Amino acid sequence: MGVPQAMAALRDKAALVRESLQKSQTITESMVSILGSFDHRLSSLETAMRPTQIRTHSIRRAHENIDKTLKAAEAILGRFDLTRKAEAKILRGPHEDLESYLEAIDQLRSNLQYFTTHKCFKSTSGIITHANNLLTKAISKLEDEFRNLLTNYSKVVEPDRLFDGLPDSLRPSATSPGKRNDSKKDSDNQKNSENAVYTPPTLIPPRVLPLLHNLAQQMVQAGHQQQLFRIYRDARASVLEQSLRKLGVERLSKDDVQKMQWEVLEAKIGNWIHYMRIAVKLLFAGEKKICDQILAGIDSLRDQCYAEITANSVSVLLSFGEAIAKSKRSPEKLFVLLDMYEIMRELQSEIDYLFGTKSCTEMRESAQSLTKRLAQTAQETFGDFEEAVAKDATKTAVLDGTVHPLTSYVINYVKFLFDYKTTLEQLFQEFEESDTEAQLKTLTTRIMDALQTNLDGKSKQYKDPALTQLFLMNNMHYIVRSVRRSEAKDLLGDDWVQIHRRIVQQHANQYKRISWAKVLQCVTIQGAAPTGGGGILGGDSGSGISRAMVKDRFKNFNAQFEDLHMRQCQWNVPDSELRESLRLAVAEVLLPAYRSFHKRFGPMAESGKSPCKYIKYKPEDLERMLSEFFEGKTCVEQKR
């Protein structure tokens, strides 16, 4: 194919393409025209439908508003219905069904809150006023119910029930509360044993406590805290005070205490110690337990209630202790002061727990103050006792030379001190941190020294110097023996005991020298050969002694021995071992001397007229008569 043909073919194809493009343009213009027509028609249709759409939307909104209104009305009617039901329950009162009554009050509060937040309703104010009035009546009835429940179930606790809560060792059947237990150590061991369990009484039945708690909560929510406080305080304080009075607690002033006889006062102190233990460990503990349960979650009111309930009872108990601590001091009060101090120390941890809140500060501090005051008075009484021992001016002497009542009193006093050793150590530490054992040793030594000084003075009342020595021997022996048998020995030490044993022996030796020197001279012949018998000298017929001198010696011996026998049988050595020892010491000196004299010079006296007038006693007679010495016999008994 040539170029011209190719060109012709190309022109034909170009023409064909042009023709196709023209057709396509024509079709496009036709479609645009058609679409334009559709757009115009749709716009017209939309314009025609707009009013219908607006009416449809309005109708839908109206339906929605109607639904909301119906629901709101239904809620309001429901609230009215609940209010009506709550009102019916409240008008019936809480007696039939307290739980349902409390639910009604909660519902009434909820409704009141609802109408308060929806004040747009036309009758809202009237509804709120009615609900408030109804709630006031409900709370008033709750107060009455709380008062009735608390009063009805608050019963005075009988003493027997309280005693049942004590450990066995502290019950009245085991130890009379009116008397101090002389076996102090045994009592302490019992109190400190693991079995010393205290069981507070059930003051209000457990099943009632949740009801009282719910009532109290409702009263607080209603803003009636003060009404709740007064009701609770008045009901429980009265019962607590009556329980203590029934137990025997009474308010006594310092003047009342001062007027009492010691025996009566001592019994009351013993009772007070018993009452303190019962009050703190049983009654106050039980009171706190129910107060914590009924007023749980109302802390400030709970603490204030407990403080007010117990205040008067605590005051009555502590005032007696204060009266004793402030009363006139006397030695016999020391041990009851220590007993009182001891019980306050024993109860200190419980008191700190029971009265640990700010509301109870005054009671807690009063108890601590009493403990300090008792310690101070006891310490001052120590000084009074030492001074009283030193200055005891009892004029009545013990005629038979036996142990003086002052000696036995002081020794018993000191022995009791050591029964309180632990208590004394605590007491000393109240005032200073030092070696408490050294303090007790110093105290004991001073008392012993004061006693010995006083006994030395009393011994001078005797006209017979031999009886003076016997008196001092008896008293010093009693002191040494008592110390050796008590805890005082460990404190004073062996050296003290040995020194004072030597003093006893010295007085015994002085007694022998003073009483028997002249008697022994009667059976001693100067210049004769020694015959033994403790250094007593004798003689024989070859010594140049005349019959007259021998008779005179026998006569003087008889007279002096009989005089000693008559007087010293009335003297008393109460300790049997000491009595036998003293008799033996005299016999060991007298009998050998008399036997030797009798053997060697008896025949000279017997060879003359009336030998019985001079030789009245055989050695065996003297031995028998010596066994009658120091028995404390009266003259009438001797004649018999």
Side-chain angles (χ1 to χ4, degrees), residues 510-533:
Q510 288 289 346
Y511 156 78
K512 288 188 294 182
R513 183 185 62 78
I514 295 170
S515 281
W516 297 97
K518 290 183 179 180
V519 178
L520 290 172
Q521 286 177 3
C522 295
V523 291
T524 302
I525 303 300
Q526 298 295 333
T531 61

Side-chain angles (χ1 to χ4, degrees), residues 204-224:
I204 292 179
R207 62 182 176 81
V208 181
L209 292 174
L211 297 178
L212 290 169
H213 170 66
N214 290 336
L215 289 169
Q217 291 283 8
Q218 291 290 342
M219 291 172 67
V220 170
Q221 288 180 33
H224 290 215

Side-chain angles (χ1 to χ4, degrees), residues 393-409:
T394 305
K395 297 297 183 182
T396 305
V398 284
L399 300 178
D400 58 2
T402 189
V403 176
H404 197 280
L406 176 66
T407 303
S408 58
Y409 175 70

Side-chain angles (χ1 to χ4, degrees), residues 252-260 262 265-266 269 319-334 336-337 340 370 373-374 376-378 380-381 384:
L252 295 172
S253 66
K254 181 181 175 182
D255 290 339
D256 295 330
V257 167
Q258 293 284 46
K259 293 174 185 177
M260 286 183 189
W262 169 242
L265 183 58
E266 186 179 27
I269 292 172
S319 66
F320 178 80
E322 288 287 347
I324 297 297
K326 293 177 181 178
S327 64
K328 184 178 179 181
R329 298 192 302 270
S330 61
E332 65 269 16
K333 286 184 181 177
L334 176 59
V336 295
L337 286 168
M340 294 172 74
L370 174 58
R373 186 60 185 260
L374 289 168
Q376 181 182 353
T377 306
E380 291 169 353
T381 304
D384 294 344

Side-chain angles (χ1 to χ4, degrees), residues 426-546:
Q426 293 173 340
L427 186 146
F428 292 145
Q429 290 174 354
E430 292 278 357
F431 305 101
E432 58 178 316
E433 291 291 338
S434 60
D435 186 346
T436 55
E437 188 167 296
Q439 284 185 275
L440 186 57
K441 180 177 181 178
T442 301
L443 171 67
T444 306
T445 302
R446 288 207 312 259
I447 292 174
M448 291 296 192
D449 291 344
L451 174 60
Q452 291 175 56
T453 300
N454 191 286
L455 291 173
D456 286 339
K458 283 181 167 47
S459 70
K460 293 177 173 58
Q461 298 177 18
Y462 297 107
K463 294 179 180 180
D464 189 330
L467 185 55
T468 294
Q469 297 302 319
L470 191 80
F471 169 79
L472 292 172
M473 179 198 72
N474 275 330
N475 283 271
M476 190 56 63
H477 179 268
Y478 181 85
I479 292 170
V480 172
R481 184 191 63 178
S482 299
V483 168
R484 288 178 63 194
R485 295 177 178 179
S486 72
E487 292 184 52
K489 178 180 180 295
D490 295 332
L491 192 70
L492 295 175
D494 290 331
D495 289 345
W496 188 95
V497 172
Q498 293 304 321
I499 289 170
H500 288 78
R501 287 181 70 179
R502 286 196 291 271
I503 293 174
V504 174
Q505 188 59 49
Q506 289 169 8
H507 288 306
N509 292 338
Q510 288 289 346
Y511 156 78
K512 288 188 294 182
R513 183 185 62 78
I514 295 170
S515 281
W516 297 97
K518 290 183 179 180
V519 178
L520 290 172
Q521 286 177 3
C522 295
V523 291
T524 302
I525 303 300
Q526 298 295 333
T531 61
I536 304 302
L537 302 179
D540 57 20
S541 56
S543 63
I545 297 177
S546 66

Side-chain angles (χ1 to χ4, degrees), residues 55-75:
R55 285 196 299 273
T56 302
H57 181 70
S58 297
I59 291 169
R60 185 165 61 248
R61 289 286 302 274
H63 277 291
E64 289 176 356
N65 289 336
I66 290 170
D67 288 341
K68 288 181 180 178
T69 303
L70 289 174
K71 287 180 180 178
E74 184 179 356

